[in-house]
Amino acid sequence: PIGTSLVVDADGSFVGNVGAGCHESELVETARTTLRDGQTRKIDFELNDALLDGSACGASMTVVVWVPDASFKTHAQQIVTGTDDVRFYCGGYEIFVPKRRSLVIVGATDLAHCITSLAKTADFTVTVVDPRPEFATAQRLPEVDRVVVGWPREVLPDVLPEADAVVVVSHDMKIDVPALGCALDTRIAYVGALGSRRNQLHRRAALAADGYDDAALDRIHGPAGLDIGAVTSPQVACSILRSEERRVG
């Protein structure tokens, strides 16, 4: 699988990195040469302490330097969209780029905004669901890929089947309980719910009354997030995303 990538322009400007430490500048110059002559190159690096002053990881690295042709435009668009797995060939290697993971947040709150900001950096697509139109707006949540206005029971059955994780953060039982029920009706990898342990017990009782057994209810991570002493919304968002990453991978 592809590790990471570096895009270089003819003037030497670049975006990204391949984690090669002191070799990065060499790669940029090699890429500029490849842009001039069009010849694909494969470079093998040994990331050892002799070259990197004791800071090396001791790994080996193979880097393919190439100039995409016009046909790559379609692959690039698919990678950016992130809705499907993408495979293409580069320098004799088959490159596999998995589709972006999908996160659904129920509750268009300030915390949803913080979670979205972090999730986007981790390459998730993010959908926010909330029945309150004054909350669920693109203006309040500019980084969200999709904002859905609707009650959980009406919209989540169509949204959740493609998702990898769902986090419920509305703090409103009328929204939280149906949303969690919809999540438990799926095989989604991570189900998180914000709130105190007391609130978790109330939700659990309501869901049990709706017929969900202990095995289903135990799938809910609540209070959502790792216990890192989080207080502010950004800190809580960080703890939730890390907990989610453990389950989604």
Side-chain angles (χ1 to χ4, degrees):
I2 189 170
T4 185
S5 55
L6 177 71
V7 180
V8 181
D9 209 343
D11 63 2
S13 57
F14 63 92
V15 177
N17 73 86
V18 295
C22 63
H23 294 295
E24 295 277 344
S25 58
E26 178 185 344
L27 285 173
V28 170
E29 289 307 311
T30 301
R32 296 181 71 186
T33 300
T34 298
L35 281 168
R36 289 192 293 270
D37 63 20
Q39 180 180 341
T40 297
R41 292 170 168 83
K42 185 178 76 171
I43 307 172
D44 295 309
F45 292 119
E46 294 294 332
L47 304 180
N48 54 54
D49 287 341
L51 289 175
L52 298 180
D53 301 324
S55 63
C57 61
S60 298
M61 176 181 292
T62 298
V63 181
V64 175
V65 184
W66 64 299
V67 180
D69 58 25
S71 66
F72 182 70
K73 182 177 180 180
T74 299
H75 297 310
Q77 290 171 335
Q78 291 172 331
I79 292 169
V80 170
T81 302
T83 55
D84 296 293
D85 295 338
V86 179
R87 295 179 185 272
F88 61 95
Y89 286 90
C90 165
Y93 290 88
E94 182 185 49
I95 305 300
F96 171 69
V97 182
K99 68 179 182 179
R100 293 165 65 193
R101 296 165 298 174
S102 174
L103 168 65
V104 176
I105 304 173
V106 180
T109 61
D110 287 342
L111 178 59
H113 172 70
C114 293
I115 295 172
T116 297
S117 295
L118 287 173
K120 296 294 286 185
T121 64
D123 208 28
F124 280 85
T125 60
V126 181
T127 298
V128 171
V129 173
D130 198 303
R132 302 165 293 184
E134 66 276 18
F135 280 72
T137 68
Q139 289 73 27
R140 294 190 68 249
L141 301 163
E143 295 181 87
V144 169
D145 295 284
R146 181 167 57 143
V147 177
V148 179
V149 181
W151 289 94
R153 286 290 181 191
E154 296 171 356
V155 300
L156 286 181
D158 294 326
V159 173
L160 289 181
E162 299 300 319
D164 297 290
V166 59
V167 181
V168 178
V169 299
S170 74
H171 263 318
D172 185 329
M173 288 282 284
K174 299 189 302 296
I175 300 172
D176 291 351
V177 173
L180 290 169
C182 288
L184 295 180
D185 290 338
T186 72
R187 302 179 69 177
I188 196 166
Y190 179 88
V191 181
L194 185 70
S196 66
R197 299 189 186 282
R198 180 182 178 185
N199 284 340
Q200 304 298 331
L201 291 174
H202 287 317
R203 294 191 193 109
R204 189 178 179 101
L207 288 164
D210 286 339
Y212 293 95
D213 60 20
D214 286 343
L217 297 174
D218 288 344
R219 292 177 54 205
I220 300 173
H221 295 256
L226 301 180
D227 185 6
I228 60 172
V231 176
T232 67
S233 289
Q235 291 170 346
V236 173
C238 184
S239 74
I240 289 174
L241 190 65
R242 185 65 190 97
S243 175
E244 173 194 319
E245 287 267 17
R246 284 184 169 184
R247 297 294 297 179
V248 176

